[in-house]
Amino acid sequence: MTKNILISCDHAGFYLKEQIVEYLLKQSHKIIDLGTKNSSSVDYPDYCDILVDKMKNNSNFIGILLCGTGIGMSIAANRHPHIRAALCSDQDLAKLSRQHNDANVLVIGGRTTSLNSAKKIIDIFLSTEFEKGRHTKRLKKIS
Ligand code: RB5
C-alpha cells in the first residue's frame, strides 16, 4: 500500500538517507525529502524540527529520521507530543514499535545500520499495523 513518507537527516545520515529515498521511490511510495542535501555538517535538531512540524495536524504522514546513531534524532523527536519515534536497529523492534507503540516516526542510525538492514526495517515498519486493544490505553497515558 502506498504511504506518505517524510524523511529527514543530518550529515551523518545523509548517505543512507539518499539510498533509502531511492529504494522507497521504486516502491511507489510518496516521499518528501526534507534534507539535508549533502554531507556538510549540520545540527540534527534542526532537521528533526522540519519533519516534526510537517507532521503536526497531519496523521497521514509517516516519518523517517536518520542521524549517526539515531539517538539524537530520537531524543529530539520525542520531545513533541504528537510524535512517537522509535529507534530501530532490527526488524523485531520495527514490528513491535508499530504493534505496541503505534510509532509514527522510524529512526535509523546512519552510521550503525547497513542499507540491507535498513530496507528490511523499513519494510516491516511500513507494513505492520497498530494492534490497539490494551496498547491504546497505554498510549493515552503517555498523551
Ligand atoms: C553527528 O556527528 C552525530 O553526533 C549525530 O549524527 C548523532 O549521532 C547524534 O545523536
Side-chain angles (χ1 to χ4, degrees):
M1 197 177 136
T2 302
K3 305 275 182 186
N4 296 311
I5 301 166
L6 299 170
I7 191 164
S8 180
C9 68
D10 72 355
H11 55 285
F14 172 69
Y15 286 113
L16 187 58
K17 185 264 287 176
E18 292 291 288
Q19 297 173 88
I20 288 172
V21 168
E22 200 183 314
Y23 176 65
L24 291 172
L25 284 173
K26 276 185 195 149
Q27 295 181 349
S28 72
H29 291 300
K30 289 183 189 148
I31 178 148
I32 302 175
D33 184 352
L34 301 168
T36 183
K37 301 286 183 190
N38 56 54
S39 59
S40 299
S41 183
V42 292
D43 297 332
Y44 62 81
D46 296 337
Y47 283 84
C48 177
D49 282 355
I50 293 168
L51 182 140
V52 158
D53 282 351
K54 292 218 180 300
M55 287 183 72
K56 214 173 257 172
N57 307 318
N58 200 337
S59 58
N60 251 351
F61 280 122
I62 287 169
I64 301 179
L65 287 170
L66 300 98
C67 62
T69 58
I71 295 171
M73 282 293 198
S74 304
I75 293 170
N78 280 315
R79 301 291 290 255
H80 300 266
H82 63 294
I83 299 297
R84 292 175 303 280
L87 171 56
C88 298
S89 52
D90 65 39
Q91 294 174 82
D92 288 341
L93 293 176
K95 187 174 194 171
L96 286 165
S97 77
R98 288 289 310 128
Q99 288 178 333
H100 289 197
N101 313 111
D102 197 18
N104 55 3
V105 173
L106 169 64
V107 189
I108 297 174
R111 289 176 174 157
T112 56
T113 315
S114 69
L115 175 60
N116 198 34
S117 177
K119 284 178 180 173
K120 289 179 186 161
I121 289 167
I122 290 166
D123 286 348
I124 199 119
F125 189 87
L126 294 180
S127 61
T128 305
E129 294 297 323
F130 178 45
E131 278 182 358
K132 300 184 182 165
R134 68 191 189 278
H135 304 297
T136 303
K137 176 186 72 174
R138 293 165 186 166
L139 289 184
K140 274 193 186 139
K141 290 192 176 190
I142 296 173
S143 321

